[in-house]
Amino acid sequence: MAAAVAEPVAVFGCRPRVGGGVCFVDEREVLHAAGTGCARLHTEHGQQAFFPGREKSRGVQALAVSPDRRFLAVSETAAEEPALTVYELAAGQPPRRRRALAGAELPAREAAVSLAFSPDCRGLAAATGPPEVLLAYWLWDKRRLLATVRLQAPGGGCQVTAPRRGGALRGRDSAQQPAAEGGSRRAARQLNVALKHRAAGEPQCPERARPKGQVSFSPQDNARICITGNGFFKLFKYSEGTLRQMNLQKGKPQNYLCHAWLSEEEVVCGTDTGKLMLFENGELCWQTSVEYRKPPKKEGSTTTKEYERYSEVSCELASEDNGSEQDPVPQISAVAAYSKGFACSCSPGVVLLFEKTEEKEVYKESQEIWVPQDLFTTVPKQSRGQDITCICFSPSEETMVVNTNKNQLYMFTMPSTDLLKEQSSHFAYLHFPLHSASITGLDICIRRPIVATCSLDRSVRIWNYKTNTLELYKEFQEEAHAVSLHPTGLFCLAGFSDKLRFLSLLYEDMHVFKEFAVRRCEACSFSNGGHLFAAANGNVIQIYSSITFENTNNLKGHSGKIRAVKWSADDAKFVSCDTHGAVYEWNLLTGKRETECVLRSCIYSSISLSSDAKIIFAVGSDQTLKEISESSIQHEVPAFDVDYTAVAVSHSKNMVFVGTSLGTIRAMKYPLPLRRDFNEYQAHAGAVTKMSVTNDDQFLLTASEDGSILIWKVYDKEGGVLKREKEVEYAEEVLIMRSDIEEKSQAMLDLQIRVKELQTENDYQLRLKDMNYNEKIKELKDIFTKEIGSLKTKHQILQAEKEKQELQHQSQLSELMNKQAKEMQDLESESNQKLLMENEKYQELQVKSQRMQEEYEKQLHNLEESKSRTVEELTVYYEEKLNEKTILLEEAEEDIRQQLQAHEEIRKQIEEDEDQEILDIKIKYEKRLVEEKESNLQLKGEIGVMNKRLSSLQKELKERNNDIEEMKLEQQKLQDVIKSLEKDIVALKTEIDERANTIQDKEKHINDLKKKNQELEKFKFVLDHRIEQFKNQIESRENDIKTMNEQIHEMEGELERFQKESTHLKLNITQLQQKLKATDHSMHRERQKKQNMEALIKRFKMDLHNCVGLIQDYKKLKYGIRELYTKYVQQLDMVETEEVDVDLQKEYTRQREYLERNLAALKKKVVKDQEVHQAAYVRIMQENVSLIKEINDLRQELKAAYTQVHDLQSTLRLTKKKQAIQDPAPSSELLSSPAVLRLNAQKENEKIIEMQQLEIQYLRDQIKEKGQSLAGQPLLDGMFPKLNLERSHKTQQQRFSGCSDPCQ
């Protein structure tokens, strides 16, 4: 059996917080990170292509596309090691891997968070994340690392190194530490933002707390690199195998979040305090602060009002601790350059466009673009509270695409002219609204090609896996944990944190139809028939009717929390699993467990059923895939050091798909392999939470914790599509509310009326304009005819003047030509004379140069002779000095010999004295030696370590010496810088004066605010007076509350009474349901009989039709009729054959008409008989009911009789005992005593009981006979339930025997 092959068709998801997470491949194709790989999306057609990352990838960290759009660089973490891959992009083809670097080939242990290609596309720069940032520069096509720079936290400086083959470069620069005041202010602002997020119920963005670095190349220079981060902005230039810093940071360090090159020399940077800084060649030339932006207000918009109200509440909560309201801190989270200027994001959900101007301010804001307000959310703050992390422009700058921290992608079409610009515009979704948190539920519909998903982002979404589109979505106030689609696709079941909701899927919305009190339902499912649905409530499974919404059954038995539930194909069985390792199979008819398989060591997370519901596939925490059948584990497949989190089985039972905790998908064939025989695909960046196979086995859908959904096309091993038994036809019905239709129809009527009114108005205005324009045309005609006449006369005058001027010009031209010819001749003669003069000068200079050369040769010869003489003199001088030194050496050697002799004599004397001391000391030191040897071994190890440190310190010393020399050179440069700084100080002083003026203006504003405050205090006094009045009113209301409480107690008593009545009614309902099940069973049996009869009639009609075809051949006709007779009538009556008559055909038609009339009459008779029999059957049933009542009355009388007998027996025994005590001899009086009479009465009662039993038996026989007579009528047989007489007879005999035992 061929193993399945899965190919990704579409992906719905976007990975946030990726460096360069969105980029254009061409004008209409966008590339973004999704899952463990990248997705390629066409902006117009919506076509997608997904290519996964490397094996064991944990997700993309950074992306970069080359300037010529041919290459793509991807940084990721694979198998806990950084990896860097360069792909070649081609139109209409999957990316081809060109270069791959991993593990030891990379200089850092962490994956790069920012990548950039050089302008010639050969160089690649990469930067790792904080706290220690490493900048690396590669020649990627030759796989050669050119240089690296290590940037530490503020105050730590940076260290520049280069690989061994490219030489060495070591340098340091110092960065100033941030001021204490600035740090405290920034911390206070971040605290306010955190409080505001907490009040609004939003998660705080992790990238704000820990920003990443960014690296980029100059757009025209391959050697210039810019890198920014927390506390540093540095420009480097690559030269002679090293990266040298070009700029020096001035002022206190800033937390630079992003930057972009505007030209070859200009770089704009954004900080976490909302400042935009423009640097030219590393010098700050322009700076501005951007304010925090709030969404624009729109009149009549309920969503914006709600948004404002929500934001006001959150701001008030954030400002409680501070005592005064403050705006949130703006942050420049993303910057991108384009031809007219640059775009940046300063607040959540907004992008500002800045354009270059010729005024004092270099760049000025021209437009703001907002993320669209989501109309389907119940929390308006969430839709726009998204930080924009990446901005990119298309090659023609017609389209701008942004990525947010909530996995969303938006696009904006740039206006072609300034006239089309609006001050405030809105983005549109690039593809669809995507999930921004872990997906917790996924379910596929049977009758429609849709899939439902729910997520912890509080949303439920409906996707179409055929067209790869989002059909519906809605956000709620609670987190969704489970979802299930009705087989019709018109309803949906969603489990939230507070309730289980039954949703109607309308044309444009989801309507909550019913709510159930099931908290945190993590597993729910509709039956395949759609008439029931199951919901997990803790460790109990509740079965509800999807028609009446009544709780029909509660399945109890699980000890742990239920994780998954599955229905069999016929809805007769039901399988569930829990966190305590139990897998149960339930029978819904009985409500009991049929099979069970318990493994306490495993926490199950997902189960799946085969199409025949005989095999259960389960996965859990023990890293195995289990095949469970007949209450036992038949087979286990190991996961090889990962956890299986989800499982799905094809309906053809040929394929098994499993999701892992690493986000990969494994495809196996069935029967399950014993070895590692499966196809593994890189898919998601988080654990796979849910997966499912479509009913036609064509698609596999998977969902993950990273919020992405992948649609896979399933093929066989040879690459062909799997065969289907028949084509699936999908339904196209859609629900819509009556109120919506009425509103739309009313809106259409209003619009039609409005259109008619506008048409009449337009016609009237057009007539008026026509009249006005006709008058104006007449006036203009008159004016223009007059002007034309005057212009004609002018034209004639000008033409005459033109002819005169032409004659003058011709005469002037001839004169000028003659003058030019004369001047040319004069110039030629002068130039010839000059050339002769220059030639003579050249010859003279040549002679002079020959003389000079001879003189220089003579001087060289004289210098060589003088040099040889000086060398000879020096040799003689130094030889004399050598002789003197040799004499001195000989004398020194003699002195040393004498000293050595004296030393030897002294040594001998000392040795004799020391021998005795050594003997004494030897004993002492032998003990110490043992101790010292032990310590020596330890010290040797330490010495080895110290030697290594010494060598490293020596190397550092050499480096420091080199650094000192370089620092001397830098000192000279710094002196020049000091001069420039002095000029800056003068400029800053002027700025201080300007700011002092602004401070005075603000103080005036403060005084105005104080006056307003006094007015507010007066208003407060009035409000206090009103509060006292309200308190007096509260006392009267409290008395009313007491009376209402008493009424509530009375109502509670009534409620208890109603609850008792409801329980009684529920018992009646269960009895009626059991009767209904019995009638359903008999009805199915009768339908089967009816189908058999219809099949027999069809066969008879076919055989009869074949016989009619043989009407011309009487022998074959005879034979066929005989066969029909023997086959269907099963009798052996002989039929006399008649000769073929001419009028046989007419006779046949006449007989057929006669038979049809008889058949119609018989049908009417049957209907009448059925009505008669039905009335008889009802009458018999009523008699049966009356008889049963009589039987029950007789039973009660029997019980009373048995109690009387028992009392009589007890009294009889007592009397016997008393008489035995009084008179031991028997007397004749006992015979006439009342006890004997009571014994006779007992016998009479027994005879009565026997008579009653005989009568009951007789009545039962009559009922049986009546039932047998009515058994031949199939229509009435299934109308009423049969009385199980044998069972009731047995129960009565048991009761009689139980009652007769005490009598004995």
Side-chain angles (χ1 to χ4, degrees):
M1 202 172 286
V5 177
E7 182 182 340
V9 176
V11 59
F12 299 113
C14 178
R15 185 174 169 82
R17 294 181 287 279
V18 175
V22 184
C23 40
F24 275 89
V25 177
D26 57 27
E27 188 60 36
R28 297 298 174 198
E29 283 192 335
V30 176
L31 192 83
H32 65 89
T36 56
C38 298
R40 198 167 174 173
L41 174 66
H42 199 282
T43 56
E44 286 185 355
H45 307 306
Q47 295 174 353
Q48 293 191 47
F50 176 76
F51 55 95
R54 307 179 72 166
E55 190 177 354
K56 295 183 180 179
S57 174
R58 301 300 297 161
V60 177
Q61 299 294 325
L63 292 175
V65 173
S66 61
D68 59 358
R69 317 285 175 181
R70 283 187 58 203
F71 303 105
L72 169 69
V74 179
S75 171
E76 55 192 332
T77 303
E80 298 182 357
E81 288 187 353
L84 188 62
T85 313
V86 179
Y87 297 91
E88 185 175 357
L89 300 172
Q93 295 180 2
R96 186 167 62 89
R97 187 179 291 180
R98 285 286 300 270
R99 288 285 181 272
L101 300 169
E105 295 178 330
L106 297 171
R109 293 182 182 178
E110 296 180 358
V113 297
S114 181
L115 300 172
F117 277 97
S118 61
D120 63 354
C121 305
R122 295 182 62 197
L124 182 66
T128 61
E132 190 175 14
V133 179
L134 181 75
L135 172 63
Y137 183 27
W138 276 281
L139 215 62
W140 66 267
D141 55 347
K142 294 183 179 179
R143 213 167 178 170
R144 191 174 76 190
L145 180 65
L146 299 178
T148 59
V149 179
R150 200 172 294 279
L151 302 162
Q152 296 176 354
C158 68
Q159 184 177 359
V160 184
T161 60
R164 292 178 183 176
R165 68 183 90 168
L169 172 69
R170 298 175 183 88
R172 292 195 176 268
D173 67 345
S174 60
Q176 299 176 1
Q177 294 181 352
E181 291 179 2
S184 63
R185 286 176 187 169
R186 193 178 297 118
R189 286 176 180 173
Q190 288 175 355
L191 180 65
N192 291 337
V193 173
L195 287 167
K196 181 175 179 181
H197 280 291
R198 190 183 299 168
E202 294 180 3
Q204 295 182 40
C205 299
E207 66 268 17
R208 288 196 173 197
R210 187 178 176 182
K212 298 179 180 179
Q214 185 184 352
V215 66
S216 63
F217 277 92
S218 173
Q220 296 176 2
D221 191 351
N222 298 321
R224 294 181 76 179
I225 300 172
C226 176
I227 183 168
T228 55
N230 188 0
F232 58 85
F233 162 71
K234 296 184 184 294
L235 291 170
F236 292 96
K237 187 164 186 178
Y238 178 75
S239 63
E240 299 177 0
T242 58
L243 285 168
R244 298 181 184 275
Q245 187 173 343
M246 295 170 61
N247 67 322
L248 290 169
Q249 281 186 286
K250 300 172 185 179
K252 60 183 179 182
Q254 301 282 340
N255 185 3
Y256 298 99
L257 299 178
C258 53
H259 72 269
W261 289 84
L262 301 180
S263 65
E264 190 179 357
E265 297 175 348
E266 291 182 346
V267 181
V268 63
C269 298
T271 69
D272 64 341
T273 56
K275 289 183 180 179
L276 284 169
M277 298 181 175
L278 184 66
F279 295 92
E280 188 173 356
N281 291 324
E283 297 284 336
L284 182 65
C285 62
W286 177 72
Q287 179 179 344
T288 185
S289 294
V290 184
E291 294 179 355
Y292 188 87
R293 301 299 172 97
K294 292 182 180 179
K297 296 180 181 179
K298 288 185 181 179
E299 292 181 1
S301 176
T302 56
T303 54
T304 50
K305 287 176 185 176
E306 204 171 337
Y307 176 86
E308 288 162 14
R309 180 175 55 79
Y310 212 86
S311 60
E312 283 171 8
V313 172
S314 60
C315 289
E316 285 172 9
L317 287 166
S319 62
E320 278 179 0
D321 296 334
N322 300 327
S324 63
E325 287 191 8
Q326 291 182 354
D327 285 336
V329 181
Q331 290 189 0
I332 310 298
S333 57
V335 172
Y338 70 110
S339 58
K340 293 182 180 179
F342 62 90
C344 71
S345 174
C346 64
S347 305
V350 66
V351 171
L352 305 178
L353 295 180
F354 284 82
E355 292 185 0
K356 196 166 187 178
T357 60
E358 295 178 357
E359 299 174 7
K360 213 174 193 181
E361 294 182 358
V362 182
Y363 289 91
K364 190 175 181 181
E365 182 188 339
S366 62
Q367 192 177 7
E368 61 181 25
I369 308 160
W370 286 91
V371 168
Q373 176 65 40
D374 190 359
L375 299 175
F376 294 99
T377 179
T378 56
V379 185
K381 180 70 178 170
Q382 282 188 346
S383 61
R384 280 181 174 165
Q386 306 180 51
D387 286 331
I388 292 167
T389 57
C390 183
I391 305 172
C392 71
F393 289 91
S394 62
S396 65
E397 297 182 354
E398 290 181 0
T399 310
M400 175 173 60
V401 174
V402 299
N403 182 16
T404 70
N405 65 336
K406 291 192 177 177
N407 307 9
Q408 304 299 325
L409 293 167
Y410 299 98
M411 67 178 290
F412 178 71
T413 304
M414 300 289 286
S416 57
T417 60
D418 293 336
L419 295 171
L420 298 173
K421 273 188 183 178
E422 296 179 3
Q423 191 173 1
S424 179
S425 302
H426 288 83
F427 284 99
Y429 283 104
L430 179 65
H431 197 198
F432 302 109
L434 305 171
H435 282 296
S436 61
S438 174
I439 295 170
T440 54
L442 181 145
D443 193 31
I444 291 173
C445 181
I446 296 171
R447 286 193 60 204
R448 292 174 66 191
I450 59 173
V451 58
T453 58
C454 65
S455 170
L456 294 179
D457 62 2
R458 304 174 181 178
S459 70
V460 177
R461 297 167 197 256
I462 307 297
W463 311 85
N464 191 316
Y465 57 82
K466 284 280 187 183
T467 59
N468 297 331
T469 56
L470 176 68
E471 291 196 351
L472 274 178
Y473 82 101
K474 189 169 184 178
E475 293 186 8
F476 297 86
Q477 291 185 349
E478 298 293 332
E479 293 178 349
H481 299 282
V483 71
S484 178
L485 273 173
H486 195 269
T488 59
L490 301 176
F491 305 103
C492 176
L493 200 67
F496 293 92
S497 300
D498 58 345
K499 286 180 183 179
L500 177 71
R501 292 179 172 87
F502 189 92
L503 307 172
S504 297
L505 303 181
L506 305 179
Y507 179 61
E508 291 178 340
D509 194 11
M510 296 183 193
H511 175 64
V512 179
F513 186 78
K514 182 76 174 173
E515 292 184 344
F516 303 91
V518 180
R519 293 177 65 84
R520 200 173 177 83
C521 177
E522 293 188 358
C524 62
S525 178
F526 276 103
S527 63
N528 292 310
H531 60 291
L532 297 172
F533 64 85
N537 190 357
N539 57 1
V540 178
I541 302 169
Q542 295 179 344
I543 309 295
Y544 290 89
S545 170
S546 57
I547 299 163
T548 61
F549 300 112
E550 292 180 355
N551 187 1
T552 58
N553 207 343
N554 289 325
L555 307 179
K556 298 179 181 179
H558 282 284
S559 59
K561 198 169 188 179
I562 296 162
R563 297 297 298 272
V565 291
K566 294 288 178 184
W567 294 81
S568 62
D570 58 355
D571 294 335
K573 293 181 182 178
F574 188 78
V575 180
S576 60
C577 68
D578 64 10
T579 56
H580 287 182
V583 177
Y584 294 151
E585 185 178 336
W586 307 84
N587 189 333
L588 290 177
L589 295 174
T590 60
K592 294 181 180 178
R593 289 200 300 261
E594 283 193 349
T595 61
E596 60 180 29
C597 179
V598 181
L599 185 65
R600 295 289 181 188
S601 60
C602 179
I603 299 171
Y604 285 112
S605 58
S606 179
I607 56 171
S608 185
L609 274 175
S610 61
S611 55
D612 56 1
K614 291 181 180 178
I615 299 168
I616 304 167
F617 297 92
V619 294
S621 61
D622 59 350
Q623 298 186 350
T624 57
L625 168 63
K626 297 175 183 62
E627 182 183 345
I628 301 169
S629 179
E630 296 177 356
S631 301
S632 62
I633 298 169
Q634 303 293 333
H635 188 48
E636 287 186 348
V637 178
F640 303 101
D641 298 329
V642 294
D643 288 337
Y644 284 144
T645 55
V647 63
V649 184
S650 65
H651 294 82
S652 60
K653 202 181 170 182
N654 296 338
M655 303 165 287
V656 179
F657 299 98
V658 189
T660 68
S661 58
L662 297 178
T664 58
I665 307 297
R666 293 180 179 180
M668 307 176 187
K669 63 181 181 181
Y670 186 81
L672 295 174
L674 297 172
R675 299 177 184 176
R676 190 166 183 165
D677 185 14
F678 51 78
N679 296 327
E680 188 165 11
Y681 303 98
Q682 300 294 321
H684 299 280
V688 177
T689 54
K690 299 290 177 183
M691 62 193 309
S692 185
V693 180
T694 57
N695 290 314
D696 56 0
D697 290 342
Q698 297 294 305
F699 295 97
L700 169 71
L701 288 95
T702 59
S704 171
E705 288 180 354
D706 64 354
S708 62
I709 304 162
L710 268 168
I711 300 173
W712 305 77
K713 186 79 173 175
V714 180
Y715 300 94
D716 58 14
K717 197 173 183 180
E718 296 174 355
V721 179
L722 295 171
K723 292 181 180 179
R724 290 184 277 187
E725 293 180 1
K726 60 180 181 179
E727 286 291 328
V728 179
E729 293 183 359
Y730 293 111
E732 294 183 356
E733 295 87 1
V734 174
L735 289 179
I736 189 163
M737 297 284 283
R738 189 186 295 277
S739 59
D740 292 342
I741 293 169
E742 289 173 355
E743 284 176 5
K744 286 184 178 180
S745 60
Q746 187 63 40
M748 284 172 70
L749 288 170
D750 294 339
L751 288 168
Q752 285 173 359
I753 293 161
R754 181 65 178 156
V755 165
K756 287 178 182 177
E757 290 174 356
L758 288 169
Q759 282 177 352
T760 53
E761 285 179 5
N762 286 330
D763 292 337
Y764 177 69
Q765 287 176 0
L766 282 168
R767 286 172 189 169
L768 289 172
K769 284 179 181 178
D770 287 337
M771 291 168 69
N772 292 326
Y773 286 136
N774 288 325
E775 290 175 358
K776 286 180 181 178
I777 287 163
K778 286 178 182 178
E779 291 174 359
L780 289 168
K781 260 188 182 180
D782 298 333
I783 293 163
F784 285 128
T785 49
K786 290 176 183 177
E787 287 180 357
I788 286 162
S790 62
L791 286 168
K792 279 180 180 178
T793 53
K794 285 180 182 178
H795 178 68
Q796 291 173 358
I797 295 161
L798 289 168
Q799 199 166 5
E801 290 178 356
K802 182 189 170 187
E803 288 173 356
K804 289 178 182 179
Q805 286 178 358
E806 281 179 354
L807 292 168
Q808 289 176 1
H809 283 303
Q810 284 177 0
S811 60
Q812 287 175 359
L813 263 172
S814 59
E815 291 175 359
L816 287 167
M817 291 291 286
N818 294 326
K819 283 181 181 179
Q820 191 182 6
K822 289 178 182 179
E823 286 175 358
M824 286 289 289
Q825 289 174 0
D826 297 335
L827 285 168
E828 282 179 0
S829 61
E830 288 176 2
S831 62
N832 288 328
Q833 290 176 1
K834 286 179 180 178
L835 277 168
L836 291 168
M837 294 289 288
E838 291 294 329
N839 193 6
E840 290 174 358
K841 285 180 182 179
Y842 174 73
Q843 288 176 357
E844 289 176 359
L845 288 167
Q846 198 171 6
V847 172
K848 282 182 181 179
S849 66
Q850 287 176 359
R851 289 175 186 172
M852 292 285 286
Q853 194 172 358
E854 289 173 358
E855 287 176 0
Y856 282 126
E857 285 176 355
K858 287 178 183 178
Q859 287 177 2
L860 278 168
H861 183 69
N862 295 328
L863 286 167
E864 285 177 356
E865 288 179 352
S866 62
K867 185 180 176 184
S868 59
R869 288 172 191 168
T870 52
V871 168
E872 287 174 358
E873 289 174 358
L874 287 167
T875 49
V876 172
Y877 175 71
Y878 283 111
E879 281 176 357
E880 289 176 356
K881 277 192 174 182
L882 269 169
N883 292 326
E884 290 176 0
K885 294 288 180 184
T886 49
I887 293 162
L888 290 168
L889 273 168
E890 288 173 358
E891 290 175 356
E893 284 174 356
E894 287 177 0
D895 292 335
I896 288 162
R897 284 171 190 169
Q898 291 175 1
Q899 286 176 2
L900 283 168
Q901 289 174 358
H903 177 70
E904 284 177 358
E905 289 175 359
I906 293 162
R907 186 174 61 77
K908 286 177 184 178
Q909 290 176 0
I910 290 165
E911 282 176 355
E912 289 174 357
D913 296 333
E914 292 294 324
D915 284 338
Q916 291 179 355
E917 290 179 6
I918 286 162
L919 290 169
D920 298 331
I921 294 163
K922 188 178 180 182
I923 297 162
K924 292 180 182 178
Y925 283 100
E926 278 177 354
K927 293 178 182 178
R928 288 187 184 177
L929 244 172
V930 176
E931 296 173 357
E932 289 294 329
K933 280 179 181 177
E934 292 175 356
S935 63
N936 199 9
L937 291 169
Q938 294 177 355
L939 289 167
K940 278 180 181 178
E942 292 176 0
I943 287 161
V945 175
M946 294 300 289
N947 285 328
K948 288 178 182 177
R949 285 185 183 175
L950 211 157
S951 61
S952 64
L953 286 168
Q954 285 175 351
K955 288 178 182 177
E956 283 185 5
L957 269 169
K958 290 176 182 178
E959 291 174 359
R960 291 290 171 87
N961 291 327
N962 293 327
D963 292 341
I964 288 160
E965 291 176 358
E966 290 177 358
M967 291 297 282
K968 285 177 181 177
L969 295 169
E970 286 180 3
Q971 190 177 0
Q972 293 176 357
K973 293 178 182 177
L974 287 167
Q975 285 176 356
D976 299 331
V977 171
I978 287 159
K979 291 176 182 178
S980 64
L981 285 170
E982 286 174 352
K983 294 177 182 177
D984 292 339
I985 287 161
V986 175
L988 287 167
K989 282 179 179 178
T990 56
E991 283 184 10
I992 288 160
D993 295 332
E994 290 174 359
R995 290 191 180 181
N997 294 326
T998 56
I999 287 160
Q1000 289 176 0
D1001 295 335
K1002 285 184 179 179
E1003 284 176 352
K1004 290 177 182 176
H1005 185 61
I1006 288 160
N1007 291 324
D1008 295 335
L1009 289 170
K1010 284 179 180 178
K1011 290 176 182 177
K1012 287 181 182 178
N1013 196 6
Q1014 289 173 0
E1015 291 175 0
L1016 288 169
E1017 283 176 355
K1018 293 175 183 176
F1019 185 62
K1020 185 186 173 186
F1021 177 75
V1022 175
L1023 287 172
D1024 290 335
H1025 182 67
R1026 291 291 299 280
I1027 287 160
E1028 289 177 359
Q1029 291 177 353
F1030 284 129
K1031 282 179 180 178
N1032 295 326
Q1033 291 177 6
I1034 286 161
E1035 290 177 359
S1036 62
R1037 293 288 174 90
E1038 283 178 352
N1039 296 324
D1040 296 336
I1041 288 161
K1042 286 178 182 178
T1043 56
M1044 293 297 282
N1045 284 327
E1046 290 174 358
Q1047 289 178 3
I1048 287 160
H1049 288 302
E1050 292 174 0
M1051 294 293 284
E1052 283 176 353
E1054 288 180 4
L1055 249 175
E1056 289 175 0
R1057 190 168 68 254
F1058 284 130
Q1059 283 175 354
K1060 287 176 183 177
E1061 289 176 1
S1062 66
T1063 52
H1064 181 66
L1065 287 168
K1066 282 179 182 177
L1067 290 169
N1068 292 334
I1069 286 160
T1070 51
Q1071 290 175 1
L1072 289 168
Q1073 283 175 348
Q1074 288 173 358
K1075 287 179 182 178
L1076 231 169
K1077 286 177 183 176
T1079 54
D1080 286 337
H1081 185 67
S1082 61
M1083 198 168 80
H1084 285 303
R1085 190 171 65 251
E1086 290 304 324
R1087 280 180 182 169
Q1088 189 65 38
K1089 285 181 184 178
K1090 186 183 172 186
Q1091 287 174 1
N1092 294 334
M1093 289 300 291
E1094 285 175 354
L1096 192 132
I1097 289 160
K1098 282 182 183 177
R1099 288 200 300 272
F1100 177 73
K1101 283 181 179 178
M1102 291 293 290
D1103 293 340
L1104 188 65
H1105 182 72
N1106 293 330
C1107 285
V1108 169
L1110 304 169
I1111 199 162
Q1112 298 296 328
D1113 192 354
Y1114 73 94
K1115 288 182 180 180
K1116 289 181 180 178
L1117 182 66
K1118 176 186 171 183
Y1119 181 72
I1121 290 164
R1122 276 185 178 178
E1123 281 186 349
L1124 281 171
Y1125 189 76
T1126 54
K1127 188 175 181 182
Y1128 294 104
V1129 182
Q1130 294 182 353
Q1131 292 179 0
L1132 299 172
D1133 296 338
M1134 298 298 291
V1135 180
E1136 293 180 1
T1137 59
E1138 293 179 359
E1139 292 181 358
V1140 178
D1141 202 6
V1142 179
D1143 300 328
L1144 189 64
Q1145 186 69 28
K1146 293 179 181 179
E1147 183 67 25
Y1148 171 74
T1149 53
R1150 187 177 62 76
Q1151 286 178 359
R1152 184 176 178 184
E1153 287 172 359
Y1154 174 72
L1155 287 169
E1156 284 175 355
R1157 283 196 299 273
N1158 285 339
L1159 203 144
L1162 286 167
K1163 280 182 178 177
K1164 289 178 182 177
K1165 193 176 180 181
V1166 165
V1167 171
K1168 287 179 183 177
D1169 290 341
Q1170 283 176 357
E1171 289 173 357
V1172 171
H1173 284 298
Q1174 190 173 0
Y1177 198 89
V1178 170
R1179 183 174 51 78
I1180 289 162
M1181 284 301 296
Q1182 289 173 355
E1183 290 174 0
N1184 283 338
V1185 170
S1186 62
L1187 287 168
I1188 288 162
K1189 285 180 180 177
E1190 287 177 5
I1191 289 161
N1192 289 328
D1193 294 336
L1194 289 168
R1195 282 176 185 165
Q1196 289 176 359
E1197 289 175 4
L1198 270 171
K1199 284 181 183 178
Y1202 282 133
T1203 52
Q1204 287 177 4
V1205 168
H1206 185 69
D1207 294 336
L1208 289 167
Q1209 284 178 353
S1210 59
T1211 52
L1212 199 145
R1213 286 169 189 165
L1214 284 167
T1215 52
K1216 280 182 180 179
K1217 284 179 182 178
K1218 287 178 181 178
Q1219 286 177 2
I1221 293 163
Q1222 291 173 2
D1223 187 8
S1227 61
S1228 60
E1229 293 177 357
L1230 288 168
L1231 295 169
S1232 60
S1233 65
V1236 176
L1237 291 170
R1238 284 178 184 173
L1239 285 168
N1240 293 330
Q1242 183 182 357
K1243 288 177 182 178
E1244 286 175 3
N1245 288 328
E1246 286 176 356
K1247 285 178 182 180
I1248 290 161
I1249 289 160
E1250 286 175 0
M1251 290 293 287
Q1252 287 176 350
Q1253 284 177 353
L1254 290 169
E1255 284 178 3
I1256 289 160
Q1257 189 64 39
Y1258 173 74
L1259 290 167
R1260 283 183 186 141
D1261 294 334
Q1262 281 187 345
I1263 289 161
K1264 280 183 181 178
E1265 287 173 3
K1266 294 286 183 183
Q1268 287 172 1
S1269 64
L1270 293 168
Q1273 299 176 6
L1275 292 170
L1276 295 170
D1277 192 27
M1279 289 177 68
F1280 297 99
K1282 289 185 178 180
L1283 290 169
N1284 196 345
L1285 299 171
E1286 292 178 0
R1287 190 184 293 174
S1288 62
H1289 180 58
K1290 287 178 183 177
T1291 53
Q1292 285 175 2
Q1293 285 181 349
Q1294 287 173 1
R1295 286 175 183 173
F1296 290 137
S1297 62
C1299 293
S1300 61
D1301 287 337
C1303 297
Q1304 293 173 3

